[in-house]
Amino acid sequence: MLSTLDAMFTQILLGAGAHELNGFVAYIIGSNSAFFVPIKIGVTGLAAIFLVVHHNFVVFRVIRVRAVLRLMVAFYSTLVIYEMWLLAFYI
């Protein structure tokens, strides 16, 4: 859901004149913007599924995958809040 909100807010912000900072995403949008939302949601969804399936794993004997999942949710939550702030104050 957070990825979907991010994709939607990104499209709105780009339409209002913002610039995409992620080079890979900017390339996808520049080459064919119709594929942006499905690719964005698909890649994020596959990554989340992979992490959920491996939630009990430990990477490099230090990093728990469960912690990576929590960081992913925190990152997307922060990103969506930031995009909402941009929408509220700049559009």
Side-chain angles (χ1 to χ4, degrees), residues 25-52:
V25 173
Y27 173 77
I28 293 170
I29 292 169
S31 61
N32 189 346
S33 63
F35 292 124
F36 166 66
V37 173
I39 289 173
K40 172 101 173 116
I41 294 169
V43 168
T44 306
L46 288 174
I49 290 169
F50 180 83
L51 292 172
V52 167

Side-chain angles (χ1 to χ4, degrees), residues 47-84:
I49 290 169
F50 180 83
L51 292 172
V52 167
V53 168
H54 297 91
H55 72 278
N56 286 324
F57 283 49
V58 177
V59 181
F60 305 121
R61 298 181 184 173
V62 179
I63 304 167
R64 294 188 176 274
V65 173
R66 189 172 305 180
V68 174
L69 274 167
R70 290 183 181 129
L71 285 173
M72 190 173 164
V73 170
F75 168 77
Y76 265 106
S77 297
T78 303
L79 181 62
V80 167
I81 290 167
Y82 173 67
E83 288 171 330
M84 290 170 66

